[in-house]
Amino acid sequence: MSTQERLGVVGSGAIACGLAASAAQHGPVVLWARSDASADRARRSVEKVCGRLEGGVDPANVRVETDLDALGQVTAVIEAVVEDHAPKAELWVRLGAVAADDALLGTTTSSLSVQRIADAAGH
């Protein structure tokens, strides 16, 4: 990842924290959590995962935010929230409004229509 590229991860569960910690090996990451409590848990989880990665990863490379606007400066976003279309689509509408027009948006869904999710974001 070049210094101008920055990854955003949406979610604060195990998958999101694992993705953020793994990506932090290559550059800065912004992880969005929906509440202060979720953000605190995510910080602890990222620290734990970073410590387990080969060679160790500095957890300071992952900035945990509760303001979705923090994702406005990222070049790629990976969404990793609950596997339920309604809350996912609602989040993607908000994400579509804050993400840069040329930002790459991805999802970790394994059972929902990616097209329906993408349509919600308008990307």
Side-chain angles (χ1 to χ4, degrees):
M1 213 181 277
S2 78
T3 56
Q4 293 182 3
E5 294 175 328
R6 183 177 302 239
L7 178 68
V9 177
V10 177
S12 57
I15 292 172
C17 291
L19 287 168
S22 295
Q25 297 176 86
H26 306 285
V29 177
V30 178
L31 184 142
W32 177 81
R34 66 184 167 151
S35 68
D36 290 337
S38 294
D40 289 340
R41 282 191 304 275
R43 283 184 194 93
R44 288 191 302 273
S45 181
V46 165
E47 286 178 14
K48 194 184 256 187
V49 173
C50 283
R52 284 190 241 144
L53 292 171
E54 189 173 320
V57 175
D58 186 355
N61 284 346
V62 179
R63 190 177 90 221
V64 180
E65 297 283 346
T66 56
D67 182 356
L68 200 63
D69 288 341
L71 297 173
Q73 300 300 313
V74 302
T75 55
V77 178
I78 301 173
E79 168 271 314
V81 299
V82 65
E83 193 73 354
D84 182 329
H85 182 75
K88 207 177 270 274
E90 180 182 320
L91 177 63
W92 274 71
V93 167
R94 294 176 56 209
L95 187 57
V98 300
D101 290 340
D102 61 347
L104 173 67
L105 305 180
T107 180
T108 61
T109 189
S110 59
S111 63
L112 301 174
S113 166
V114 174
Q115 185 62 55
R116 283 185 63 204
I117 294 168
D119 288 345
H123 275 251

